[in-house]
Structure formats: structure tokens, C-alpha cells
Amino acid sequence: MSEKPFTGAVFYEYLNEHKLMGSRCKTCGEVHVPPRPGCAACAGSAVEWVEMSGQGALAAYTVIHIAPTAMIEAGYDRNTPYCTGVVALAEGPRISAQILDVDVRHPETIEIGTPLEIAFIERGEGAARRTYLAFRPEK
Amino acid sequence: MKQRRLGRGVAIVGAGMSKFGAFPGLATRDLFVDAFQELLASVDKGFNPQEIEALYIGNFSSDLFEGQAHTAPIMADWVGLTPRPATRVEGACASSGVALREGLIAIASGLYDIVLVGGIEKMTDLPTSRVTDTLATAADVTYEVPAGFTFPGLYASMATAYMHAYRATPETFMKVGFKNHENGALNAKAQFGQRIADIMEARKASAIRKGRPVPTWSDEMDFLHDDRANPIIAWPMRLYDCSPISDGAAALLLVSEELARQFTDSALHIIGAGQASDGATHDRPTLTGIPAARHAAKMAYEMAGVAPADIQVAEVHDCFTIAEIMATEDLDFFPAGEGWKAAEEGRTARTGDRPINTSGGLKSKGHPVGASGAGQVVEIWKQLRGEAGERQLSGDIRLGLTHNVGGTGQTCAVHIFERR
Ligand SMILES: [Zn+2]
């Protein structure tokens, strides 16, 4: 793997390449997603990039009707709500992500524990294009 | 963890707050002067405000809300206390809970004898979308906000985790909001000091006045289930599950224990204090409670030498209804997973065995975020001194607690107060 710094900027560079990356501590093996330049478990400074499998399970969720400015710009509003949640990755770490292909009109039918697989959302044009992390129920 | 003790005792001998609400044309400094004036009047034996030696002011984001940073010296100036040191303390919605702790530590250290602790926030100048964006800066802007999370959304996701783990339902959350409006109706300082039934009647009267079809809700729960009257904000959190956007200020006068009798014969001694921190919401081992609140509460109980069952009144951080239920478990008032049942059974009502948020809570009283923690202490001040009027708890109320959460639990401050 590359020696790129273990920063948010690089995390999102990888996401633009459709890779969900974390950092793994060479001393104790702890995996951090998002990545950290040092290990929060053992304070070790030797870490390496590691790619996640993209498998996970839904740990918590909500369906948002009153959206923040960025999501309004992405086309969501009171009449077009969206689901977002916390995903427990197969590798252990948890992360926030938009949840696609669930019934936002009947949020009570969305089930915690549902197996999920990674998806990628592209927003913006040209140089402003950016990939956002998402998951959807496993097919 | 090593058990911590204060270097010397500290007591609250005065407390005041502005009304909470939406006040076009009033800035935080105006609201703070209002709170300060009420504080002066609350000191039983009177005192010269020039005796104050330092100020600690809780404020989340005057920068984004008002376009004004560096607010603490302005507060000192507006109440005539320059050149005393004035320090702004930021801990999101726990800003003034943390400011109280800083004031406490400053006196306990021996550096000062008399300190003014304040909390201020002015949120209503911005449109709702920008308030939503500003509140979201209390979460992790790099990793939580890009997923589309809002502040209500983060608490709503904890609500789904809680419902899944313990079989609670959205109706439980509605009952918490209902209860807090019952309490807030008895608090003249509350922003939405109406019972749900009063709000329903007002809606019906308005419909008649405007010649519109009159709603036919059968009862309060029917009203709270109505998507038009009580729209979803972030499912399962609806409008009446969410604290409002508010302006307000609160102020507390702290003195060293030896000086307390010069000010009043019924001071509130701060006998327990705890504070804890945490990472992003998604990064926690549990989403059905707030770990920082558990840590802060444990510290406070140990310092105070009291048990959860000893606490007679508590103001907890009900920024959302789910937050109140989790708070009652994180504070060990009820076992994990039992808080929602206690709420359903009315145990947390003013007449219950475990009264929570007699002020109306953030839901009904209002939530000017940086002022909320100090505002909670104002209610405990009143309840412990028998000055809470119509909402006064019966009996000899001597032990109270405040629980103030910043963000979704990245910060939590808990304090325990005793009237001796
Ligand atoms: Zn390590």
C-alpha cells in the first residue's frame, strides 16, 4: 500500500476511487475507519492502509424529512426524505452512511441488523465531483 | 479511575435567567443583562456585584448564530465587570454545564472566592436551514455530516437502536413531550409554556377564525400522531419530540463555602461534579445510551457520596424526547431498557416518584443551547429553595441533579446540589 497520509482528505480521495479505506495499527492490529495517523488503542505510531470488504450490517438509522443545506442541494426535502444510519462493518468499525433502497415511506419496516453492502453516490460536476459513502441491503 | 475531591467547598448563592423564546432585536448581551439582574435580586442578603472576581460564560456558536465571536468580554462589559477575566467556554449544548464546572474548579482551587457563571445563545436570527447546519457542527463535520446526518437525525438513529433493543415505540417518546409541556405550562420563563391540550384548542380556534376545516383530534395522542400537526423531522422524532430553536441567557453566582452565609441561609452546595468526553456517534460501542453521561454521572455520584435513588429532582438534557429516556438510564435512575416503561407509567411526571424536568425541560422551556446547562441549575435552585411556585415539588427537597449533554454525547457534564 501507498504511504499516503492517514487523513480525511486521503480517505475521501480513496472514496472517489470507490475504496473504503481505514488504518491498521502495525503494533496491536486495531483497525480505525475513518483512518487515524496514530493508533487510539495503543498510541502506536506505525499504521498502514487497509481496504474494507464493503460488507456490514445496519446498527441504527433514521429517515430525515428536514434536511441540511447540502442534502437539499442534492435533491432531498420534506417530500423526498432519505435514510441515513450507522453501519457496523464486517471488520468491526462503525461508520455513518446514507442507506439506499429502503422504504423511506414506511420507516418502521426498515430492520436493524439487515446485512448491507457498500454503494457509492456521485454528486457534483467536473472538479466538484465527489463520492459519498452509502450502503444498500445485500442482494 | 482515581476518586477526585474538590480543594474546598463551593456553593451557589444566586441564580437568574431571561425568559427563553424568540426575541427579534435582542442580542445575547441584552438577554444576559436580564439574567444578571434576576440573579442580583435572588441573593437573599444582597451583595455588591463588584465583588465578583471572574466570569465563565458558556456559549456554543455566537460566531455562526450572530456573526459575533469573543463574547465573554462583551458580557463582562455589559454588566460592568471589566477588567475582570472573562472566559468563554464551548462544549456545544453543554457549554454552560462545562462553564459551571470551570467556575467550580476556579473557586475550589483557591484562586477566586466569588465567580459569575453564565450561559448565552441567540439562535433565532438565522433561517431554520442554517440553524440546522450550525447545530450539525457539534457533530463530526468530516465523517457524520456528509452521510446526511442532522442533529435530530443522530438522536433519531439512537431512538431506532433503542426501540430495537428494548421494544419501545414512538408513542413512548410522545408521552415524554406531553409530560414536559404539562410542566412547562407552569413556568413563566418557558418558550412553549402550553399544555398539548391548550395547543390543540388554539389550533382549532385558529381554524374557525380562518374559515378552515376544524381538526377533530380525539385526544392529545391523536394530535401527536397527526402528520400535519406533528410532522416528522427525522423518524421517529417528530416536531413535538424536538426542543425548539431559542434565544436565552442564564446566570449563577458561585462563592466559596465559607462565604456562603454572607449571601444566604439557603445556599446550594455543589457536592458532586463530573464531566466526560467521547468520539463520533457511530464510533461508540452502544447507541442505546450515552457513555459520556454514564462516566460523568459516576464521577459526580462518587464525589457527592450519594446514590442515584437519593436524588429528589433532576433536570436532564431532553434536546429530544429519546434523550430524556436515555438520560434516566445513564443516571441510573432506572435500569438500562427500563426508562421508557418508567416514562409510560408516569414515574417521571411532577407527581411521580422520580420527577424529571419540572421546568418543562428543553422541550417546553426552550433550548438556547449555550444557556441550557445554566438554565437547568436555575430550576434546581428554585426547587431546592421551595421557590418553584405552581410546579414546586412537595416535601423537603434537598438534593438535586443536572445532566447537560453537548452534541450527541461528545461532552457531558453532571452536577449534584445539596441545600444544607
Ligand atoms: Zn495499536
Side-chain angles (χ1 to χ4, degrees), chain B residues 277-404:
Chain B
S277 64
D278 205 351
T281 313
H282 59 229
D283 213 15
R284 299 179 193 159
T286 177
L287 292 168
T288 57
I290 292 180
R294 286 202 172 267
H295 289 296
K298 186 165 183 291
M299 274 182 244
Y301 287 131
E302 283 180 2
M303 184 187 287
V306 302
D310 301 329
I311 303 295
Q312 295 165 292
V313 58
E315 287 282 305
V316 310
H317 199 89
D318 62 319
C319 50
F320 300 94
T321 50
I322 175 63
E324 176 168 316
I325 291 172
M326 293 192 300
T328 60
E329 298 178 11
D330 291 336
L331 292 166
D332 266 334
F333 293 156
F334 308 113
E338 302 287 320
W340 70 273
K341 295 175 193 162
E344 292 250 351
E345 290 161 3
R347 295 181 62 188
T348 56
R350 222 169 49 254
T351 49
D353 66 315
R354 172 59 75 193
I356 301 290
N357 287 334
T358 54
S359 68
L362 312 182
K363 171 68 198 80
S364 166
K365 185 177 58 182
H367 186 22
V369 290
S372 289
Q376 292 176 322
V377 181
V378 174
E379 178 68 6
I380 299 298
W381 165 264
K382 288 185 185 299
Q383 287 288 354
L384 265 54
R385 288 162 48 95
E387 296 171 348
E390 281 185 277
R391 64 182 189 284
Q392 178 65 46
L393 296 170
S394 56
D396 183 27
I397 307 296
R398 307 185 75 90
L399 214 52
L401 177 149
T402 58
H403 158 280
N404 189 199

Side-chain angles (χ1 to χ4, degrees), chain A residues 12 61-63 69 82 84 94 96, chain B residues 133 142 147-148 160 233 235 282:
Chain A
Y12 283 108
Y61 69 96
T62 177
V63 173
T69 306
Y82 61 94
T84 190
R94 294 172 168 214
S96 299
Chain B
D133 293 344
T142 308
T160 59
I233 304 297
W235 191 87
H282 59 229

Side-chain angles (χ1 to χ4, degrees), chain A residues 25-30 39-44:
Chain A
C25 175
K26 290 181 179 176
T27 308
C28 76
E30 180 81 7
C39 177
C42 76

Side-chain angles (χ1 to χ4, degrees), chain B residues 47-53 79-82 84:
Chain B
F47 90 113
N48 177 0
Q50 293 303 317
E51 292 176 38
I52 293 170
E53 296 167 285
V79 297
L81 289 176
T82 53
R84 292 161 187 79

Side-chain angles (χ1 to χ4, degrees), chain A residues 62-66, chain B residues 60 92-94 123 128 131-139 149-160 162 169-181 230-246 281 284 287-290 315-330 339-340 343 348 356-357 360-369 372 376 403-410:
Chain A
T62 177
V63 173
I64 293 185
H65 287 232
I66 302 299
Chain B
F60 167 44
C93 319
M123 302 168 70
T128 302
V131 173
T132 302
D133 293 344
T134 300
L135 290 173
T137 68
F149 266 124
T150 56
F151 210 62
L154 286 162
Y155 271 99
S157 70
M158 289 194 267
T160 59
Y162 187 93
T169 66
E171 283 70 32
T172 309
F173 306 137
M174 292 173 185
K175 286 172 187 166
V176 172
F178 171 82
K179 182 267 291 177
N180 284 345
H181 275 276
N230 189 18
I232 296 170
I233 304 297
W235 191 87
M237 294 289 103
R238 293 170 179 265
L239 182 64
Y240 282 88
D241 291 297
C242 304
S243 55
I245 294 165
S246 314
T281 313
R284 299 179 193 159
L287 292 168
T288 57
I290 292 180
E315 287 282 305
V316 310
H317 199 89
D318 62 319
C319 50
F320 300 94
T321 50
I322 175 63
E324 176 168 316
I325 291 172
M326 293 192 300
T328 60
E329 298 178 11
D330 291 336
W340 70 273
T348 56
I356 301 290
N357 287 334
L362 312 182
K363 171 68 198 80
S364 166
K365 185 177 58 182
H367 186 22
V369 290
S372 289
Q376 292 176 322
H403 158 280
N404 189 199
V405 176
T408 55
Q410 288 87 344

Side-chain angles (χ1 to χ4, degrees), chain B residues 212-246:
Chain B
R212 299 217 178 108
V214 180
T216 54
W217 302 298
S218 59
D219 58 15
E220 286 97 334
M221 289 304 281
D222 193 30
F223 169 84
L224 291 172
H225 276 104
D226 180 346
D227 282 342
R228 294 187 60 183
N230 189 18
I232 296 170
I233 304 297
W235 191 87
M237 294 289 103
R238 293 170 179 265
L239 182 64
Y240 282 88
D241 291 297
C242 304
S243 55
I245 294 165
S246 314

